[in-house]
Amino acid sequence: MAHYTMDGKTDMALDEVDLSTALAEVNNEGKPYNPAYDRRDMHRLGRVQEVKRRFRFFSLVGYMVILASTWEFALVTSVFALSNGGTAGAIWLTLIACCGMCLSCLSMAEMASISPTAGGQYHWVSEFAPPAYQKPLSYAVGWLCALGWQSAMPLISYTAAQQVVALIATCDPEYTSQGWQGALLTIAFVVFAILFNMFAINKMPLIEGLVVVIHLFGFFAFVVIFWVLGPREPASRVFTEFQDQNGWGSYGLATLVSVVGPSAALIGADAAVHLAEELKDAAYMLPRAMISSALINYATALTMIISLVSAIDPDVLDDILATTTGQPWVAVVRKVTGSQAATIALTVLMCFQFTFTSINQATTSSRQLWAFARDKGVPFHKFLSKVSPRDGVPHNAVFVTLGSTVVFSMIIIGSTIAFNIILSICNVALIVTYIIAIATLFAKRLRGEKLPVSRFNLGRAGIFVNAGALCWLLVLATFLFFPSVPNPTAQSMNWACLMFGVMVIFAFVWYVIRGRHEYDGPVEYIRKDIE
């Protein structure tokens, strides 16, 4: 069967090319790469190659490891598990979350190989959903995905800012953080991330490699300190004693409520997908990079949470949670090492890591927005879908990501509670897009329909993997709407349900007014004659 490049010229019959032979070919850089596969995929998807393919397998794995920063987030979000579920709850819930997210990652990796596009979830829904639901359902998923990644940008930057605040509080115990300081620090992080994406994007693959090395060295530094200097609580106590300090009345319920902690550390399996059109040999490399980085992230997150809680004396847990630094992990490090200098050094390391997490976050957020704008899914889509011919970067989408983050950050000045309420939608929105995308693939398998040819296939196990992923994601989505304490006040209430409803209504209204007239859905551009 003949295939065609974007200029209409016939290319080699790629389905007849042996993979080992194809990878043995070299490009002008002298490295194994067969661009014919990428041309074929872009042609099937009906897309023009606008962005530059600057990533390879290892650089993308490094990108995902840094963006996820699972062991760093395991430290930062441990406060949720320690107050709901205790040490045992933190460990076992993290293990369950790793297994559930692994099934989700496998499901999305298969879809990414079928359609390696920056659109990700909304494209897959458009392609796999029943024809009657393709357009409105993919439009809704596109909006939720854009909302999730755009709100994740200020969330990551604010997390980085909190580490700086913890550093200052460690150096000066009398220091009290002000809202305007948190806002300025958040804006500073996002501005640096945007500038990096604008002027140093071509150096990102190289720099990612260096940061990954520091990331891994930092991981071992924390683990060694916790195990060598920590109090070494008995395993029988750490792994089996659950707690319900907030009064849920059930250890199981208290543990499940704290799912926001591990979910924040492990979510984002689709981050690499939105760079699919910037990855060489994407259909083959993308799913393998997603799985490889996920396994690394799961292993480091689980190891870190076990190391952290094993070094906590339950008798001083209340003091740790009430630390003036605002970061319980800092209090644990200070108590374990007994050294202010060591605590400062490790806090600086965390600040460094979250700086590059912010950089990668800006890349993914802007690419997802650009992809959805390319399909006319958002207002001002002509402006947002432009790509610079000089460096292959969607500068307008990058600048809008900066603008939205600055606007969100200003809310911190008035109220950090209001800021957290607005950003609570991040995890919920992304999880819902995972559910809908995987559900369409699962339904397609149940109907016995043939899936398009891909270079990563789950085979007969696919239906069980998809079912397991959906079961986990539905449970996760349910408990992400729970407040952290029973009988919450307005301040402690989880307002994700309200924000989620508001954004769904807004997307629906825009769809009725404008979207349904402009948005066709990616499936309309797919060439059905190419399998």
Side-chain angles (χ1 to χ4, degrees), residues 407-466:
V407 171
F408 277 127
S409 301
M410 298 303 289
I411 300 174
I412 302 174
I413 298 177
S415 171
T416 56
I417 295 175
F419 178 76
N420 288 322
I421 287 173
I422 292 175
L423 297 187
S424 63
I425 191 62
C426 171
N427 289 347
V428 175
L430 290 179
I431 290 299
V432 171
T433 67
Y434 297 171
I435 292 173
I436 297 175
I438 296 173
T440 58
L441 180 63
F442 180 64
K444 197 174 183 68
R445 279 196 160 101
L446 287 179
R447 294 193 298 267
E449 298 179 8
K450 181 182 178 182
L451 296 177
V453 175
S454 69
R455 296 164 69 189
F456 178 82
N457 194 291
L458 295 176
R460 294 181 179 179
I463 193 168
F464 302 105
V465 172
N466 297 158

Side-chain angles (χ1 to χ4, degrees), residues 182-526:
L184 289 180
L185 284 171
T186 301
I187 293 172
F189 274 104
V190 73
V191 167
F192 179 77
I194 294 300
L195 290 176
F196 189 99
N197 273 267
M198 294 293 294
F199 302 107
I201 189 67
N202 288 325
K203 301 296 182 182
M204 180 177 282
L206 174 62
I207 296 175
E208 296 288 346
L210 298 175
V211 178
V212 165
V213 172
I214 299 174
H215 171 85
L216 294 177
F217 271 109
F219 166 75
F220 287 112
F222 271 93
V223 169
V224 169
I225 287 174
F226 286 143
W227 284 107
V228 173
L229 301 179
R232 299 186 187 182
E233 290 297 312
S236 59
R237 186 176 188 179
V238 173
F239 283 83
T240 63
E241 289 191 4
F242 293 83
Q243 296 184 25
D244 180 18
Q245 293 188 341
N246 289 327
W248 285 98
S250 166
Y251 289 143
L253 180 59
T255 300
L256 287 172
V257 167
S258 67
V259 75
V260 65
S263 68
L266 301 175
I267 201 172
D270 65 310
V273 173
H274 304 300
L275 272 70
E277 295 172 37
E278 297 177 57
L279 173 66
K280 296 180 179 180
D281 202 11
Y284 182 81
M285 296 299 181
L286 179 56
R288 288 158 177 82
M290 292 172 64
I291 296 169
S292 299
S293 59
L295 293 177
I296 294 172
N297 291 334
Y298 301 155
T300 54
L302 185 59
T303 302
M304 184 58 71
I305 201 67
I306 292 174
S307 302
L308 174 67
V309 299
S310 297
I312 296 177
D313 183 349
D315 296 331
V316 297
L317 180 58
D318 290 338
D319 293 335
I320 290 173
L321 293 175
T323 176
T324 56
T325 65
Q327 299 293 309
W329 72 266
V330 175
V332 175
V333 170
R334 180 66 182 268
K335 191 167 188 64
V336 166
T337 62
S339 168
Q340 183 180 28
T343 305
I344 291 173
L346 292 176
T347 308
V348 169
L349 174 63
M350 290 285 282
C351 294
F352 175 84
Q353 288 299 133
F354 277 115
T355 297
F356 281 89
T357 301
S358 299
I359 290 172
N360 290 7
Q361 178 65 55
T363 306
T364 292
S365 297
S366 60
R367 298 312 188 269
Q368 197 285 328
L369 179 61
W370 161 72
F372 197 40
R374 181 177 58 182
D375 282 314
K376 305 176 184 178
V378 292
F380 311 108
H381 55 79
K382 291 183 179 179
F383 172 79
L384 290 170
S385 61
K386 290 183 179 180
V387 176
S388 170
R390 179 177 58 85
D391 55 10
V393 174
H395 288 172
N396 292 346
V398 174
F399 278 125
V400 169
T401 300
L402 168 63
S404 64
T405 304
V406 170
V407 171
F408 277 127
S409 301
M410 298 303 289
I411 300 174
I412 302 174
I413 298 177
S415 171
T416 56
I417 295 175
F419 178 76
N420 288 322
I421 287 173
I422 292 175
L423 297 187
S424 63
I425 191 62
C426 171
N427 289 347
V428 175
L430 290 179
I431 290 299
V432 171
T433 67
Y434 297 171
I435 292 173
I436 297 175
I438 296 173
T440 58
L441 180 63
F442 180 64
K444 197 174 183 68
R445 279 196 160 101
L446 287 179
R447 294 193 298 267
E449 298 179 8
K450 181 182 178 182
L451 296 177
V453 175
S454 69
R455 296 164 69 189
F456 178 82
N457 194 291
L458 295 176
R460 294 181 179 179
I463 193 168
F464 302 105
V465 172
N466 297 158
L470 287 173
C471 290
W472 159 249
L473 291 172
L474 288 170
V475 172
L476 176 57
T478 299
F479 282 96
L480 284 178
F481 286 116
F482 271 58
S484 59
V485 295
N487 304 315
T489 62
Q491 289 76 18
S492 60
M493 179 62 184
N494 183 349
W495 296 98
C497 53
L498 175 62
M499 294 304 303
F500 182 79
V502 169
M503 293 310 302
V504 168
I505 293 173
F506 178 81
F508 175 76
V509 171
W510 183 261
Y511 179 78
V512 172
I513 297 175
R514 191 78 177 269
R516 62 193 177 97
H517 303 295
E518 297 181 334
Y519 180 76
D520 296 321
V523 71
E524 296 297 326
Y525 304 102
I526 294 177

Side-chain angles (χ1 to χ4, degrees), residues 12 19-36 39 56 280:
M12 65 182 73
L19 181 60
S20 60
T21 302
L23 293 180
E25 298 180 11
V26 295
N27 62 2
N28 55 11
E29 296 176 346
K31 298 179 181 179
Y33 171 56
N34 180 17
R39 293 200 301 269
R56 292 180 179 273
K280 296 180 179 180

Side-chain angles (χ1 to χ4, degrees), residues 129-143:
Y133 304 104
Q134 286 174 343
K135 184 175 178 178
L137 201 57
S138 67
Y139 182 84
V141 169
W143 263 94

